[in-house]
Amino acid sequence: MKITGPKGTHDILYKNIYKWQFIESQLKNLVELYDYQEMRTPIFENTDLFLRGVGDTTDIVDKEMYTFKDKGDRSITLRPEGTAGVVRSFIEHSCYNEVLPGKFYYYGPMFRYSRPQAGRYRQFHQFGVEALGSADPFLDGEVLELMMNMFKALGLKQLKLEINSVGCPVCRPIHKEKLKDYLKSHYDQLCPTCQSRYEKNPLRIFDCKSLTCQEIIQKGPYVTDNLCDDCENHFIKVKEYLDMVELEYEVNKKMVRGLDYYTKTAFEVSAGREGSQSSIGGGGRYDGLVEELGGPELSGIGFAIGLERIVMTMDEQMLFEGKFESVNKVFIASVSSNEIPETVRLVSLLRKNDIHALRDTMNRKLKAQFKYANKIGADYVITIGDEEVSSKIYTLKNMKTSKEESYVESDLINILKGENNEFKK
Ligand code: AMP
């Protein structure tokens, strides 16, 4: 029986890898320009990290974690997001004694056990950024600017940035109480999920898909209406920065985001699509997280962008056209098996000179070797017969123009390396 990949996972095939590599290199260059450095943390962590970090009233922790016991009976979880691991590592290695703010980025697979659908996987990839140690609202602005510039660098169109303030431990509990007061009289109309959210995390009712719940919650108080002075001023400053750098945004008072650790600024970005899988990235400030995870009292802000969603959107917006960079390939054919040793020698020599060279390894006849050369998109073909073996003069055929020219070995290498390369594409 054929074994298939696990449900909710996907393979990135060799013919699509250029898309991923293009995105990865663009993003990496840009974040490094903003002085962020890469952190690589394990893809599994002790489960407690996420219980404490992400929050046990969130859907991610409540329903979506890949948690298992290892052979030493420890509870292990495949990371559902990247922030908790980076913050854990930052604390564990006392990076807070070094330069502040600590500016880090990460890239890699994340794991969430959710119902797979287009743009929603159980293993997916996030590229994220974290800035730890500064409470400056202009840093929020800069982080937002960076995120939008990342999307712009990829050429994404119809970008929509939505921002909100979700308050802090001072004003959020007051808001929560006001919200619960309002919801009390509507409790019976709420769906069962929102009834359980009512006690634990009533703000999450904004995320409910039920029309009745939406109608109810939209008429209730918004967190932005109950911000304390500190949060209110912070939000004003963030918007001031966005205006200074002429970054367009919308305030979405309904946005609460799925993770518990956010304080003050929260944001999300989409690119043209509507609906539940439309977000290509999001993040926010998390001023209590470093302390919550056992570190000093330090602020933090960050975001993560979803690579699968980006690839999907770029495909839809046809942004990969012309992004495939082909290299000059040289195929070396041998007329018969007698010339194989010379073919091997020449391929090996060209490769030592950084030339993309290859030969047949399927015992093909000469004609089939030429067909193969065409199929793999060889730019040049050199055919080795007994004459070439004895004369060491090689005829290079340009497959596009069919032009042929003969060279001794050193000239051949120079030509293929691009020096005086009249054959160059
Ligand atoms: P979050 O960590 O939930 O804020 O998600 C940040 C980004 O990761 C989202 O905007 C999506 O682009 C992406 N993302 C989140 N969950 C998934 C998933 N299950 N499958 C694919 N992408 C996801």
Side-chain angles (χ1 to χ4, degrees):
M1 205 177 70
K2 207 160 59 176
I3 298 177
T4 56
K7 191 173 172 184
T9 65
H10 67 102
D11 300 311
I12 305 169
L13 292 182
Y14 66 97
K15 45 195 164 189
N16 287 324
I17 201 70
Y18 76 97
K19 299 179 181 178
W20 289 75
Q21 288 171 345
F22 168 73
I23 297 171
E24 288 157 12
S25 77
Q26 293 289 104
L27 298 184
K28 189 173 169 296
N29 289 343
L30 197 62
V31 292
E32 288 183 355
L33 193 71
Y34 278 70
D35 207 33
Y36 286 81
Q37 286 173 303
E38 189 174 3
M39 279 273 225
R40 295 191 189 174
T41 62
I43 60 163
F44 64 87
E45 296 273 359
N46 291 318
T47 303
D48 279 349
L49 176 70
F50 303 112
L51 295 182
R52 260 162 68 190
V54 181
D56 54 9
T57 64
T58 60
D59 282 354
I60 293 178
V61 168
D62 213 23
K63 305 184 207 134
E64 299 180 355
M65 292 218 298
Y66 274 92
T67 299
F68 57 94
K69 284 275 174 78
D70 72 2
K71 290 195 168 77
D73 208 32
R74 302 171 194 92
S75 181
I76 295 294
T77 296
L78 298 184
R79 63 180 182 191
E81 55 91 64
T83 305
V86 169
V87 172
R88 194 247 334 119
S89 173
F90 173 81
I91 299 168
E92 190 169 332
H93 302 284
S94 310
C95 302
Y96 46 81
N97 289 329
E98 293 154 22
V99 185
L100 288 181
K103 293 167 80 177
F104 312 109
Y105 74 91
Y106 60 84
Y107 169 61
M110 305 294 159
F111 306 85
R112 293 183 194 170
Y113 190 87
S114 53
R115 198 169 58 80
Q117 48 190 294
R120 190 169 201 88
Y121 297 93
R122 290 182 175 171
Q123 176 176 330
F124 59 100
H125 297 77
Q126 284 186 337
F127 192 107
V129 156
E130 317 291 350
L132 303 171
S134 164
D136 183 357
F138 278 5
L139 177 64
D140 304 31
E142 193 183 292
V143 162
L144 281 163
E145 189 188 9
L146 166 61
M147 176 159 79
M148 295 313 281
N149 281 344
M150 283 160 82
F151 295 136
K152 286 175 194 164
L154 298 174
L156 283 161
K157 292 178 273 212
Q158 292 172 275
L159 290 169
K160 186 161 104 181
L161 166 64
E162 294 177 276
I163 62 170
N164 194 20
S165 175
V166 294
C168 69
V170 174
C171 53
R172 202 158 38 193
I174 301 169
H175 167 71
K176 241 184 201 171
E177 282 318 306
K178 286 191 183 170
L179 184 61
K180 278 170 81 175
D181 271 354
Y182 160 77
L183 289 170
K184 204 180 276 167
S185 55
H186 301 278
Y187 184 84
D188 293 340
Q189 294 147 269
L190 294 174
C191 73
T193 314
C194 286
Q195 285 184 344
S196 73
R197 283 173 173 156
Y198 174 84
E199 269 312 323
K200 288 205 289 186
N201 199 349
L203 264 73
R204 294 301 314 278
I205 298 179
F206 276 111
D207 288 344
C208 185
K209 294 195 180 61
S210 140
L211 286 179
T212 321
C213 295
Q214 274 302 326
E215 240 170 64
I216 296 170
I217 195 87
Q218 300 218 10
K219 288 187 190 131
Y222 290 94
V223 60
T224 350
D225 302 329
N226 292 313
L227 294 180
C228 59
D229 286 349
D230 184 31
C231 288
E232 180 79 50
N233 289 332
H234 190 96
F235 200 34
I236 290 170
K237 285 276 178 201
V238 174
K239 290 185 277 190
E240 209 176 286
Y241 183 98
L242 298 182
D243 292 337
M244 272 178 341
V245 297
E246 297 177 357
L247 202 66
E248 279 180 37
Y249 64 89
E250 281 174 31
V251 174
N252 177 355
K253 291 166 108 188
K254 279 166 42 183
M255 192 210 308
V256 288
R257 309 257 319 131
L259 299 94
D260 270 1
Y261 51 58
Y262 288 119
T263 53
K264 298 193 167 95
T265 319
F267 47 90
E268 224 160 76
V269 180
S270 62
R273 312 173 128 247
E274 297 287 326
S276 54
Q277 255 53 255
S278 62
S279 163
I280 54 171
R285 184 164 271 289
Y286 45 84
D287 286 346
L289 184 64
V290 180
E291 211 183 350
E292 178 67 36
L293 295 178
E297 203 181 310
L298 284 180
S299 313
I301 178 161
F303 64 81
I305 70 182
L307 272 279
E308 278 74 6
R309 304 260 175 98
I310 302 242
V311 171
M312 196 167 84
T313 314
M314 287 181 71
D315 269 330
E316 281 168 5
Q317 298 187 357
M318 301 203 291
L319 300 176
F320 289 116
E321 247 87 322
K323 293 288 185 285
F324 180 76
E325 278 182 32
S326 63
V327 285
N328 280 336
K329 278 189 204 174
V330 188
F331 180 77
I332 310 200
S334 39
V335 174
S336 74
S337 57
N338 293 340
E339 291 80 30
I340 289 180
E342 176 63 359
T343 313
V344 168
R345 191 192 67 83
L346 199 56
V347 167
S348 169
L349 179 73
L350 293 184
R351 286 177 179 161
K352 277 185 199 132
N353 283 282
D354 290 331
I355 295 161
H356 191 125
L358 72 168
R359 60 179 202 91
D360 172 55
T361 51
M362 299 283 286
N363 257 325
R364 290 181 174 94
K365 295 262 179 300
L366 189 59
K367 219 169 141 193
Q369 288 183 49
F370 291 147
K371 253 193 185 163
Y372 169 58
N374 259 326
K375 214 168 177 177
I376 57 166
D379 300 282
Y380 307 104
V381 171
I382 298 169
T383 306
I384 309 286
D386 51 4
E387 222 182 287
E388 281 75 13
V389 173
S390 55
S391 71
K392 297 271 186 285
I393 292 176
Y394 307 100
T395 303
L396 186 66
K397 180 174 181 182
N398 183 320
M399 298 301 279
K400 262 204 198 111
T401 60
S402 291
K403 204 167 133 191
E404 293 187 337
E405 202 94 31
S406 298
Y407 301 100
V408 295
E409 202 173 272
S410 56
D411 287 346
L412 178 74
I413 291 169
N414 282 342
I415 284 284
L416 288 171
K417 282 181 95 166
E419 292 156 32
N420 309 316
N421 191 354
E422 60 192 79
F423 285 102
K424 212 169 179 190
K425 282 193 285 185

